[in-house]
Amino acid sequence: MLKKSSLVLWGAALFIAWNGLLLLFLWSRPNSPGEGDRLTAEVIRLAQDAETELERQKNLLRQIHRYSDLWGRRRGVQLTPKPPPHPSVLPPPHPTDPSGLVLPILVLACDRSTVRRCLDKLLLYRPSAQRFPVIVSQDCGHAETARVIASYGDTVTHLRQPDLGDIPVPPEHRKFQGYYKIARHYRWALGQVFRAFRYRAAVVVEDDLEVAPDFFEYFQATLPLLLADPTLWCVSAWNDNGKEQMVDGTQADLLYRTDFFPGLGWLLLAELWDELEPKWPRAFWDDWMRQPEQRRDRSCIRPEISRTMTFGRKGVSHGQFFDQYLKFIKLNDRFVPFTQLDLSYLKKEEYERYFLPKVYAAPEVRVEELQGNRRRELGTVRLQYSSRDSFKAFAKALGLMDDLKSGVPRAGYRGVVSFVYRGRRVYLAPPSDWTGYDPSWS
């Protein structure tokens, strides 16, 4: 880069010197009538020609620099990726105003050439290329997927995870090699975003996710909450129980706190990566995030209606949960202007002040009454569980995801799971004197 700048400066100095000599020569010549005007016009024409030539040379230098990068990649040289626009490129309206922060979208890719579906929707709905740079980090070295990503040119930043070798694992974990590689890739990619590019926050998306029209609006509006409330540690676009018949389609603006880490399109801050990176696991990173040692009684924000949906049936999990749950998740299809809404109700104290009384004020019913669609006059109702087995039995009976991670139910907050069953709101909840999660419920 320094060499390129020196050549341009040398060309500019040559241009100035040439025109100075030309003017000196012309002034020293005797003038005949009308000759002065002709000489002035000729000097101007020559100066314009020289300026055009200088610009052409600058463009040529840019092309040489670009093609030298491509040539270096083809020879297998590992080049330092050009970072996307740094937060300093787009100064915030006020230094402490989170609405001015650049929020990159980190897409984790491997060997799915269908990453195009993910990228096309991100770029279609993205309101600002400066505010939301898209960074695609590719593992696996899959050539066709690399070609798809490269076809977007400068619209996205394409990173390549350099370590593609197998990872030594215990003999009983040989079939889980893919999970080890995913954890390694996450650690490397998040390191690039927060260490090399030094972003303040980032949204993580995998290559088999399609996003909703208000995906960017949702994260832009919830970022200030994440910055302000230390009892939050992520914002997720995903509702684990977000099947179409289990959500209220009229409440696309409804958001919740959840103690369960949902993933599948999630926002984190650089401070959280500072905390997690030194102890990042070798495999199964998402379940590791759900352990009490990492969660530390913090919550995430999640929507009533998901802002992502997955189309990736094939993967290291071999379609686990996909056919039963994931393919039925409803993707929000209308734009909610979240940045114009008051989301302060999601702060911990305020949320517990209104959410928990609403749950325990709901009349209690039996699961048979729900299944029989009886007692409709009650409206919103509560179904109470008191043990791991009763929770799992009720969840299976009603079509919820019934697995628990360190005792925490999917989409649950203080043990309460909110969903819609046969058109009415139901809270699957522990007793009102609940004192905390039991990690043995797993």
Side-chain angles (χ1 to χ4, degrees), residues 66-79 147 150 160:
R66 184 164 61 251
Y67 286 121
S68 69
D69 280 354
L70 291 173
W71 179 71
R73 289 192 188 100
R74 287 175 183 172
R75 293 186 61 195
V77 177
Q78 182 68 36
L79 298 173
R147 282 193 291 271
R160 292 172 176 84

Side-chain angles (χ1 to χ4, degrees), residues 76-151:
V77 177
Q78 182 68 36
L79 298 173
T80 302
K82 177 184 176 183
H86 191 273
S88 62
V89 173
L90 186 66
H94 305 288
T96 58
D97 184 357
S99 66
L101 285 177
V102 172
L103 190 58
I105 311 301
L106 173 63
V107 181
L108 278 295
C110 179
D111 58 357
R112 289 189 181 103
S113 58
T114 51
V115 66
R116 185 181 299 280
R117 179 173 170 183
C118 171
L119 293 176
D120 282 350
K121 285 299 175 69
L122 283 171
L123 297 175
L124 174 65
Y125 297 136
R126 181 173 66 169
S128 165
Q130 280 189 309
R131 179 79 200 279
F132 301 101
V134 175
I135 305 169
V136 186
S137 179
Q138 187 190 357
D139 199 2
C140 309
H142 188 247
E144 176 58 27
T145 301
R147 282 193 291 271
V148 170
I149 299 168
S151 72

Side-chain angles (χ1 to χ4, degrees), residues 267-335:
L267 166 65
L268 75 158
L269 300 179
E271 293 93 324
L272 181 61
W273 184 241
D274 290 341
E275 174 189 326
L276 298 179
E277 183 185 30
K279 56 178 181 173
W280 190 253
R282 298 183 66 229
F284 311 110
W285 71 270
D286 48 349
D287 282 343
W288 175 83
M289 291 275 288
R290 293 161 183 153
Q291 294 172 356
E293 295 80 7
Q294 279 64 253
R295 190 172 67 82
R296 291 169 52 192
D297 293 325
R298 293 172 294 191
S299 303
C300 295
I301 294 171
R302 61 99 173 167
E304 168 79 0
I305 304 177
S306 292
R307 264 58 187 187
T308 56
M309 64 166 286
T310 177
F311 54 84
R313 185 180 187 278
K314 294 182 180 179
V316 293
S317 63
H318 304 294
Q320 184 186 24
F321 297 133
F322 187 87
D323 291 329
Q324 189 176 1
Y325 296 104
L326 303 182
K327 71 179 182 181
F328 300 110
I329 297 294
K330 176 179 172 58
L331 179 67
N332 182 58
D333 58 5
R334 68 183 182 89
F335 187 92

